[in-house]
Amino acid sequence: MYIKEIELNNFRIYNGKCKISLLPSDGKNIIVISGKNGFGKTTFLMSLVWCLYGKQMEKVDELYEKEIKDQGNYTKYISNSLNKKAYEEGITEFSVSVTFSGVKIPDVTCNEVTVVRSYNVVSNTSDRVEVLIDGYQNQLIEDLTKENQKGEEIFIRDFILPIEIAKFFFFDAEKIVSLAEINSNNQRRQLSKAYSEVLGIQKYEDLKANLEEKQDEYRRHSAKPEEKEELNQLHANIENAKIEIERLVEEIDNLKHERNQKEKEAEDIQRRLIKEGDKMTLDELNNLKSEQAKLDQKKVDVQESLRDYFDIIPFALGGETLMNISEQLSQERNLSEQKFKQENVNAKITQIRQDIESRRANLDFVLDVKTRDFYETQIQILVKKYFFSDFEEVQDNFQVLHDFSNSETNEFNQLVSSIKHSFKETFSRLNTEYSYLKNQLDSISRKIRDAEKCAEDEFISELRRKKESLDKRIMTIGNELEAINQKIGEFNSQTKISKQRQELLRKKIDDSSEYSEKEKKTKQLITKLQNFISLFKEEKKKSLEEKMLKGLHTLMHKKDFITRVEVDISVTGEDIDITLYNERNKIIDKGSLSMGERQMYASALLSALVDESDIEFPVFIDSPMQKFDEEHAENIIKYFYPNVSKQVVIFPLIYKELTEKEYRQLQPKVCRTYLIISVSNEKSEFLETEPVKFLSTYNELYHAD
């Protein structure tokens, strides 16, 4: 898939219609778009993200999330995107269109797909998005439409690029170091979900879930009435929980947007109050607000980590019961092993007896019964003594209570190990950190309140009352969000329990059922799919490890610094973690890497993920070549940009983020170059140049040395 062209129409700094062609040519895959600060580089990248995802663009990059929050809400944020000159001329609508070639749509032949998103600042309602296939609307779009989602939005996510993985294709090269700084469990879960999507694991898990639903329909025919009722109830519980979680997530989005708006209003009032006073300058206020935002984010991360530990607390409190279960599981595992050994012992003894019996038939004398019994008993004792010395007789009165699978036993043992070794220390540290952050935030809030004017005139008093009302609502929203997140956690826990019970019930029904041909076929498909998913995960794990390690060795100075990459993919695929090892086989803390090394790690990860994804989508890189020394920069130019995708668009600041020497190294792979030039304060446009004349044209325009 390629992006053929993008057209911006009265979008921010781009007045009128500005079209740019991005198709690679002559076997070269890199397009360079540059301009001075403020001319529209970041706006151009933002326009592309907005065109594809609209209101959901905040999920692609935290930069957009912050900008929307600063404006108060999405409506205010996007309303400011109408070009000022166009507004003065009475124009009320702006739009962005992106034309793709090579889009693969099942059962539909097409040459081009064009996505057009527009917004009218007068109607001020919502975006209008169109998807045109070869210039026309298609019935497919209408067929995709759901009750709460437009078909166009679904088409973009299903056939162009899922929003969960867009962050791997649109990124700020200076900020991708955050991939090496994932600390909270919530961040890790979100990233794991994105990994699962980009590696293609999720689509197979979804397919298996659909087949299991179909199999449940067959099971209901052969199940006993009480089993059928329970199976129906479990299915209903899981579906209802899913619907409730979706509703709660939507409620969270609405509350967050309301909170952003209230915070913006409260901040504006606060600035006015401080401006009327004399205890703090606006610069000091901005510094305090910046520090407050950082501490707030840290507090949220710590809260997420603490919330994960809350699930473990009941197990820690029931430590004695937990240890009894652990001992029982150990004995059950031992029982299983001993049964196998006992079967092996008995098989060997039986074989020896048979061999002796066959030889005894050829004897020319008779063994009496007592002699034969003596030797057979001794053989049994001696076989156990010399060949199965670690064998323990299985107790006849031992009762199996849990019958855990190996994976369930390992998961339980990990829980016990965590409680024994790290739970108390980690929970105490997180609790202390949370208290410290809360105290710091309270201190900042007091400083800001003290700086507000104490005058008692009616105007100031009314401002203060309004701000107090806003602050109360903001606090209430925070409590509501906390309660909703707790509900989501409860629904997730209930769903997990329901699925576990569902599996047990399925097994019970299967053991006592006579299968129809359809049921047999469905079961065979599920078994094959389970085996395939297991092998698929293992292949993805090994391939990702190999590609990341190769990428790190290619890009980094210190070739032996990282000697092994381990990718851990959980059974469900919901948790994916990446660990680096040094030459002493010790884990490398990614947070201890230098900024340049972190960017190398992130670049190697991105390259491996894009390669493994089999998703052919252009890669857009803002602020390239940041934090690199000369050798790292050369490696990125030689090995990363030419290979990360078939179409790579970079947005450098000339001579700062891309030097003349670096451009000359990159030039053999450059097919198109554009300069964003400023026609006026309200208008920028694209100037295409020949790649060989790119720097000279830039120098002529801006008289660079």
Side-chain angles (χ1 to χ4, degrees):
M1 183 193 306
Y2 296 97
I3 290 181
K4 180 181 178 183
E5 62 184 28
I6 299 174
E7 181 179 276
L8 297 90
N9 183 15
N10 290 318
F11 187 83
R12 298 204 167 192
I13 196 69
Y14 297 96
N15 179 241
K17 292 185 177 180
C18 298
K19 189 180 289 187
I20 183 170
S21 176
L22 298 178
L23 269 182
S25 59
D26 303 324
K28 302 174 181 180
N29 67 322
I30 297 173
I31 297 98
V32 181
I33 303 174
S34 183
K36 286 188 171 291
N37 281 329
F39 282 16
K41 287 192 292 89
T42 304
T43 294
F44 177 71
L45 186 56
M46 175 260 188
S47 73
L48 178 56
V49 176
W50 176 70
C51 180
L52 293 178
Y53 304 113
K55 189 177 181 179
Q56 300 298 313
M57 64 188 295
E58 63 182 4
K59 295 181 179 178
V60 177
D61 193 314
E62 62 182 17
L63 168 67
Y64 306 131
E65 183 180 14
K66 182 180 183 302
E67 288 180 347
I68 291 170
K69 182 178 179 181
D70 289 344
Q71 290 291 323
N73 57 37
Y74 172 77
T75 300
K76 290 183 178 179
Y77 169 73
I78 206 61
S79 294
N80 289 330
S81 296
L82 177 63
N83 179 265
K84 291 178 182 177
K85 189 175 180 182
Y87 178 74
E88 290 171 0
E89 293 170 355
I91 296 171
T92 60
E93 188 168 288
F94 60 87
S95 65
V96 176
S97 71
V98 183
T99 300
F100 297 88
S101 63
V103 180
K104 296 175 183 176
I105 308 172
D107 302 322
V108 176
T109 303
C110 74
N111 296 315
E112 294 180 355
V113 172
T114 301
V115 179
V116 185
R117 191 179 294 269
S118 56
Y119 188 89
N120 192 301
V121 297
V122 174
S123 59
N124 207 26
T125 51
S126 61
D127 312 337
R128 188 174 72 255
V129 60
E130 274 187 295
V131 173
L132 305 175
I133 298 176
D134 287 336
Y136 298 96
Q137 294 181 342
N138 193 289
Q139 182 64 36
L140 169 66
I141 307 300
E142 191 175 330
D143 294 341
L144 288 171
T145 301
K146 294 181 181 177
E147 186 178 342
N148 60 344
Q149 206 170 8
K150 295 177 181 176
E152 290 84 358
E153 306 284 5
I154 295 172
F155 179 89
I156 291 167
R157 287 157 178 73
D158 286 356
F159 298 107
I160 303 295
L161 187 68
I163 195 168
E164 292 83 4
I165 61 178
K167 66 180 71 181
F168 298 126
F169 295 87
F170 304 98
F171 62 86
D172 185 323
E174 189 174 8
K175 292 178 182 174
I176 59 168
V177 295
S178 61
L179 290 174
E181 299 167 347
I182 298 302
N183 294 316
S184 74
N185 289 328
N186 185 47
Q187 289 173 318
R188 179 169 156 176
R189 275 194 296 269
Q190 289 177 346
L191 198 58
S192 293
K193 185 179 179 182
Y195 288 162
S196 185
E197 285 278 358
V198 81
L199 292 174
I201 295 171
Q202 193 58 47
K203 63 183 178 184
Y204 292 114
E205 293 286 0
D206 292 341
L207 179 59
K208 183 167 78 76
N210 290 336
L211 281 171
E212 285 171 341
E213 271 191 41
K214 178 59 69 177
Q215 192 177 28
D216 279 347
E217 290 180 18
Y218 298 139
R219 285 189 179 101
R220 291 185 188 102
H221 296 302
S222 56
K224 296 175 183 176
E226 62 273 16
E227 293 172 339
K228 182 178 179 180
E229 184 180 351
E230 186 179 0
L231 197 62
N232 286 335
Q233 188 59 53
L234 288 169
H235 179 74
N237 290 346
I238 292 168
E239 286 303 306
N240 290 337
K242 184 179 176 181
I243 292 168
E244 275 300 302
I245 289 172
E246 288 176 358
R247 184 187 66 78
L248 290 170
V249 167
E250 188 176 345
E251 193 175 333
I252 284 174
D253 287 341
N254 293 334
L255 282 170
K256 282 184 175 179
H257 287 142
E258 184 188 350
R259 183 173 64 180
N260 290 345
Q261 188 172 351
K262 301 295 184 190
E263 285 177 345
K264 183 70 169 67
E265 290 178 35
E267 189 175 326
D268 290 342
I269 292 173
Q270 191 174 71
R271 291 180 189 280
R272 292 179 69 181
L273 287 168
I274 289 174
K275 193 174 180 181
E276 294 291 329
D278 58 0
K279 289 189 175 183
M280 184 184 294
T281 66
L282 288 178
D283 283 343
E284 289 172 333
L285 172 64
N286 289 334
N287 290 336
L288 275 178
K289 295 292 286 185
S290 177
E291 180 65 20
Q292 189 179 44
K294 290 177 183 176
L295 290 171
D296 264 327
Q297 186 55 52
K298 287 182 180 178
K299 182 184 169 189
V300 168
D301 292 343
V302 172
Q303 278 179 311
E304 287 291 341
S305 298
L306 278 170
R307 190 178 290 115
D308 290 330
Y309 275 93
F310 288 157
D311 293 336
I312 301 177
I313 288 175
F315 295 102
L317 293 174
E320 186 177 346
T321 303
L322 205 67
M323 294 312 297
N324 290 338
I325 294 173
S326 180
E327 179 62 28
Q328 173 73 17
L329 289 176
S330 177
Q331 291 182 19
E332 287 182 14
R333 185 173 64 252
N334 183 55
L335 171 66
S336 177
E337 291 172 356
Q338 296 308 324
K339 276 185 176 179
F340 175 77
K341 287 183 179 179
Q342 185 165 313
E343 290 170 1
N344 205 2
V345 169
N346 292 338
K348 295 291 185 188
I349 291 172
T350 300
Q351 189 176 354
I352 291 171
R353 280 176 172 171
Q354 289 173 348
D355 288 350
I356 291 174
E357 190 66 25
S358 63
R359 292 174 185 271
R360 189 176 66 82
N362 299 323
L363 293 177
D364 55 1
F365 59 88
V366 178
L367 286 173
D368 61 77
V369 175
K370 287 185 179 180
T371 303
R372 189 175 66 186
D373 288 346
F374 169 77
Y375 280 110
E376 285 184 356
T377 302
Q378 291 304 310
I379 287 168
Q380 185 173 348
I381 293 170
L382 293 173
V383 165
K384 289 180 182 179
K385 179 179 179 180
Y386 291 109
F387 298 100
F388 299 93
S389 58
D390 59 341
F391 174 75
E392 296 176 13
E393 291 286 349
V394 177
Q395 298 176 12
D396 294 332
N397 61 347
F398 181 77
Q399 187 177 1
V400 175
L401 300 177
H402 305 296
D403 193 23
F404 278 14
S405 65
N406 286 337
S407 61
E408 288 171 334
T409 302
N410 291 337
E411 190 176 348
F412 182 84
N413 289 336
Q414 286 174 4
L415 172 65
V416 173
S417 177
S418 172
I419 291 172
K420 275 173 139 181
H421 301 110
S422 62
F423 171 74
K424 184 177 179 181
E425 181 184 338
T426 306
F427 185 77
S428 177
R429 177 180 60 77
L430 287 170
N431 198 40
T432 302
E433 189 176 353
Y434 177 79
S435 299
Y436 170 76
L437 291 169
K438 192 172 181 299
N439 289 336
Q440 290 291 98
L441 284 166
D442 289 342
S443 174
I444 289 175
S445 296
R446 281 196 301 272
K447 287 178 184 178
I448 293 173
R449 284 197 302 271
D450 290 343
E452 292 174 359
K453 183 172 172 58
C454 298
E456 291 302 324
D457 61 78
E458 188 58 33
F459 173 70
I460 296 299
S461 297
E462 179 58 31
L463 280 179
R464 190 174 293 110
R465 280 194 295 271
K466 188 172 182 181
K467 184 177 179 301
E468 286 173 358
S469 174
L470 288 167
D471 287 342
K472 284 180 182 177
R473 178 57 188 152
I474 290 166
M475 186 176 292
T476 302
I477 290 173
N479 294 334
E480 289 176 11
L481 287 171
E482 182 67 27
I484 291 172
N485 280 317
Q486 193 170 342
K487 282 183 184 177
I488 289 175
E490 289 170 2
F491 278 121
N492 282 328
S493 297
Q494 290 169 13
T495 299
K496 187 175 181 181
I497 292 169
S498 294
K499 285 183 176 179
Q500 288 172 344
R501 176 58 190 158
Q502 200 177 43
E503 282 303 310
L504 290 172
L505 191 58
R506 284 169 174 169
K507 185 178 178 183
K508 182 181 176 183
I509 294 170
D510 288 349
D511 289 343
S512 61
S513 295
E514 290 293 330
Y515 299 121
S516 67
E517 285 304 312
K518 285 184 178 179
E519 288 175 290
K520 288 178 182 177
K521 190 66 176 175
T522 306
K523 190 172 183 181
Q524 288 170 2
L525 286 172
I526 291 172
T527 302
K528 284 183 180 178
L529 192 55
Q530 282 175 328
N531 294 334
F532 171 79
I533 290 172
S534 179
L535 291 171
F536 183 73
K537 286 178 183 175
E538 189 60 30
E539 286 176 8
K540 287 292 180 184
K541 164 187 161 68
K542 289 180 180 177
S543 182
L544 197 58
E545 287 172 346
E546 290 170 3
K547 286 176 180 175
M548 272 203 70
L549 186 61
K550 182 180 178 182
L552 287 165
H553 285 173
T554 301
L555 297 175
M556 281 189 163
H557 298 318
K558 299 179 279 187
K559 303 302 179 187
D560 297 327
F561 173 47
I562 297 170
T563 57
R564 182 161 66 93
V565 175
E566 185 175 271
V567 177
D568 183 25
I569 303 177
S570 68
V571 176
T572 61
E574 292 174 356
D575 189 15
I576 300 176
D577 195 25
I578 298 171
T579 309
L580 307 179
Y581 291 86
N582 63 19
E583 56 188 354
R584 298 187 305 280
N585 207 33
K586 299 291 184 183
I587 293 175
I588 298 170
D589 178 9
K590 293 192 282 286
S592 68
L593 300 174
S594 69
M595 292 302 286
E597 288 169 339
R598 290 183 199 184
Q599 199 162 343
M600 291 295 100
Y601 164 79
S603 299
L605 172 58
L606 285 165
S607 181
L609 283 171
V610 171
D611 193 27
E612 280 298 310
S613 72
D614 292 329
I615 296 173
E616 293 183 355
F617 194 88
V619 170
F620 292 79
I621 306 168
D622 197 8
S623 302
M625 316 307 292
Q626 286 282 345
K627 310 295 181 187
F628 293 147
D629 57 29
E630 191 173 345
E631 188 178 343
H632 276 157
E634 185 176 345
N635 289 340
I636 284 286
I637 288 168
K638 279 185 178 180
Y639 307 112
F640 182 64
Y641 292 150
N643 301 310
V644 69
S645 174
K646 292 181 180 178
Q647 186 179 20
V648 179
V649 186
I650 64 173
F651 300 83
L653 280 171
I654 300 301
Y655 298 124
K656 182 181 179 185
E657 295 168 350
L658 187 68
T659 66
E660 182 173 355
K661 179 182 177 182
E662 289 164 352
Y663 178 73
R664 297 302 178 202
Q665 292 172 332
L666 189 67
Q667 191 178 318
K669 287 291 183 178
V670 175
C671 60
R672 294 177 183 271
T673 53
Y674 292 91
L675 287 169
I676 302 173
I677 59 174
S678 177
V679 179
S680 68
N681 289 334
E682 288 84 29
K683 183 174 183 178
S684 287
E685 58 186 34
F686 302 109
L687 173 66
E688 185 169 11
T689 73
E690 293 180 32
V692 293
K693 296 180 180 178
F694 178 61
L695 290 182
S696 60
T697 305
Y698 179 88
N699 292 336
E700 288 171 12
L701 284 170
Y702 303 113
H703 309 290
D705 294 330

